[in-house]
């Protein structure tokens, strides 16, 4: 083990009781190995914590266990404490997911938001930490039709795609324990909301400028509604996104919970939303889901 790196990781500092509301049960392990060229590290950390009961709901309280491996971490990153912060986030995520698990009771989570808002990226993190499966409604439509979204739009038109999307959402509404990344336009049909309200819906609200930056970076090949022939990629994407948001803004607000990147950045004292990590966004999503579920629970108790 690399002693300097182990010190830098400060494993004991990860166990912050006020953050994770848990007591260490004593079981933790850390292994670090250096790659042959000496610049990169492989870090594997396992922590087991005994959570303290905080909610009023009756449930079995399972120990909190996080095992994470990080490949190719530059030694400088580890020594700067970034790695420590990543592991810290991981533990908090796990703790938060255990907190909402009994309230969720296996209901699916539907992520809604504009194209490029991070539904897939954030959804995969949430699924992993909740022990849910992840799926993407666009991918299910593609599988069913046997064509890419772009080709479905081109050959069959948008209305055909929307019908397939509604069929897929109907099927998913009968499932349990899925985090679902929905298509950016799934919110426009009221029937889709009927399906999505079988679970808990979360709107990833990302400023249009940040979306345009991401879209300009990855291109529009898989996003036919944003496709442009020529011109500055960022400006084109921003114009198209603004027009779509004008039509859809109110529909996204139907979601049970809203995750505003601007609010997360303000909480963390950051100016630039593009610096927010997907993990920090997933954590805020779990927090907003918790707020919704606890309110729902209170309303139910008052009836
Ligand atoms: N927090 C983030 N910071 C920076 N880039 C991000 C973040 N989240 C996602 N991205 C990037 O933005 C792009 C879009 O992300 P993602 O595919 O997760 O969005 P989406 O909402 O599922 O998009 P779509 O609905 O168009 O399929 C990807 O290239 C992804 O790597
Ligand atoms: O915002 C939209 O209308 C779309 C978003 C994508 O996820 C795909 O569902 C499709 O390209 C349409």
């Amino acid at each position: 083990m690399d002693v300097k790196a182990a010190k830098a990781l400060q494993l004991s500092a990860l166990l912050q009781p006020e953050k994770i509301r848990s007591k260490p049960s004593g079981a933790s392990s850390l292994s670090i190995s250096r790659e042959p060229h000496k610049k990169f590290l492989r870090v594997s950390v396992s922590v087991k914590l005994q959570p303290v009961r905080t909610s009023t709901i009756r449930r079995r309280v399972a120990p909190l266990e996080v095992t994470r491996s990080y490949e190719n971490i530059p030694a400088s990153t580890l020594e700067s404490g970034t790695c420590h912060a990543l592991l810290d986030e991981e533990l908090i995520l796990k703790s938060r997911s255990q907190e909402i698990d009994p309230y969720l009771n296996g209901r699916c989570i539907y992520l809604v938001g504009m194209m490029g808002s991070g539904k897939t990226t954030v959804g995969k993190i949430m699924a992993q930490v909740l022990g849910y499966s992840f799926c993407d409604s666009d991918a299910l439509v593609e599988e069913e039709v046997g064509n890419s979204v772009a080709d479905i739009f081109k050959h069959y038109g948008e209305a055909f795609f929307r019908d397939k999307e509604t069929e897929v959402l109907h099927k998913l509404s009968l499932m349990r324990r899925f985090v679902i990344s929905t298509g950016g336009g799934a919110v426009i049909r009221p029937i889709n909301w009927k399906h999505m309200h079988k679970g808990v819906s979360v709107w990833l609200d990302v400023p249009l400028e940040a979306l345009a930056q991401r879209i300009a970076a990855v291109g529009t090949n898989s996003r036919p509604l944003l496709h442009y022939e020529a011109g500055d990629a960022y400006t084109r994407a921003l114009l198209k996104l603004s027009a779509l948001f004008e039509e859809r803004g109110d529909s996204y607000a139907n979601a049970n919970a809203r995750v505003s990147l601007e609010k997360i950045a303000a909480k963390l004292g950051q100016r630039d939303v593009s610096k927010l990590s997907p993990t920090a966004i997933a954590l805020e999503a779990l927090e907003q889901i918790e707020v919704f579920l606890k309110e729902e629970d209170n309303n139910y108790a008052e009836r």
Side-chain angles (χ1 to χ4, degrees):
M1 185 197 287
D2 186 317
V3 176
K4 193 174 169 206
K7 264 190 175 171
L9 199 58
Q10 294 174 314
L11 188 61
S12 60
L14 292 176
L15 314 177
Q16 296 175 32
E18 73 285 1
K19 267 194 182 167
I20 52 180
R21 296 187 223 155
S22 314
K23 281 183 194 158
S25 70
S28 62
S29 67
L30 164 72
S31 76
I32 299 173
S33 56
R34 217 179 250 285
E35 295 295 301
H37 46 71
K38 304 245 179 214
K39 273 207 177 130
F40 293 99
L41 296 166
R42 177 179 294 135
V43 181
S44 176
V45 182
S46 182
V47 186
K48 197 170 181 184
L49 304 162
Q50 193 59 53
V52 169
R53 276 187 58 159
T54 53
S55 74
T56 49
I57 250 181
R58 280 177 180 277
R59 61 181 167 123
R60 200 170 55 81
V61 187
L64 186 64
E65 198 161 359
V66 177
T67 303
R68 245 316 171 230
S69 290
Y70 298 92
E71 300 282 338
N72 293 342
I73 294 187
S76 57
T77 302
L78 190 60
E79 281 150 20
S80 74
T82 310
C83 184
H84 166 199
L86 287 174
L87 291 161
D88 212 7
E89 278 180 343
E90 200 88 37
L91 273 175
I92 299 165
L93 265 181
K94 194 75 189 167
S95 163
R96 188 65 66 180
S97 70
Q98 285 203 343
E99 189 69 28
I100 66 172
D101 190 59
Y103 293 94
L104 258 182
N105 197 19
R107 275 180 285 176
C108 289
I109 295 175
Y110 293 85
L111 295 180
V112 301
M114 294 283 283
M115 282 175 269
S117 57
K119 301 177 295 283
T120 305
T121 311
V122 173
K124 285 182 177 169
I125 297 172
M126 292 171 71
Q128 198 245 328
V129 81
L130 285 163
Y132 272 34
S133 302
F134 171 82
C135 76
D136 177 334
S137 70
D138 283 343
L140 292 177
V141 171
E142 289 180 330
E143 222 170 82
E144 179 142 339
V145 182
N147 248 323
S148 68
V149 169
D151 280 343
I152 298 171
F153 268 68
K154 194 163 143 199
H155 299 304
Y156 305 100
E158 182 172 349
F160 176 86
F161 172 82
R162 296 292 171 208
D163 287 345
K164 291 291 164 201
E165 181 171 62
T166 299
E167 277 173 31
V168 159
L169 290 171
H170 177 227
K171 283 183 194 158
L172 287 168
S173 70
L174 308 172
M175 312 289 280
R176 287 172 65 76
R177 301 188 74 81
F178 268 91
V179 173
I180 299 150
S181 165
T182 64
V187 295
I188 56 184
R189 280 193 171 181
I191 179 77
N192 293 346
W193 279 107
K194 197 175 146 223
H195 301 319
M196 293 193 284
H197 280 323
K198 293 268 162 36
V200 176
S201 48
V202 181
W203 171 25
L204 293 190
D205 181 9
V206 182
L208 298 181
E209 293 75 10
L211 288 180
Q213 266 171 16
R214 289 183 194 173
I215 304 278
V218 295
T220 57
N221 284 346
S222 64
R223 298 179 171 100
L225 290 181
L226 296 181
H227 191 66
Y228 52 87
E229 297 304 327
D232 166 58
Y234 171 80
T235 311
R236 293 288 184 144
L238 186 59
L239 279 174
K240 294 215 174 192
L241 287 166
S242 305
L244 282 176
F245 189 74
E246 187 76 21
E247 288 168 20
R248 297 178 180 172
D250 291 347
S251 305
Y252 290 125
N254 280 325
N256 299 130
R258 175 180 171 211
V259 172
S260 156
L261 265 61
E262 275 173 348
K263 275 201 184 148
I264 307 174
K267 255 199 235 176
L268 299 177
Q270 285 188 18
R271 278 216 207 130
D272 187 357
V273 298
S274 66
K275 297 252 159 53
L276 295 174
S277 72
T279 310
I281 299 166
L283 181 59
E284 174 73 6
L286 294 176
E287 282 178 14
Q288 293 305 323
I289 291 173
E290 183 175 356
V291 169
F292 166 73
L293 291 173
K294 289 192 168 166
E295 212 173 282
E296 183 188 61
D297 197 50
N298 283 342
N299 291 342
Y300 186 74
E302 278 167 17
R303 269 201 250 147

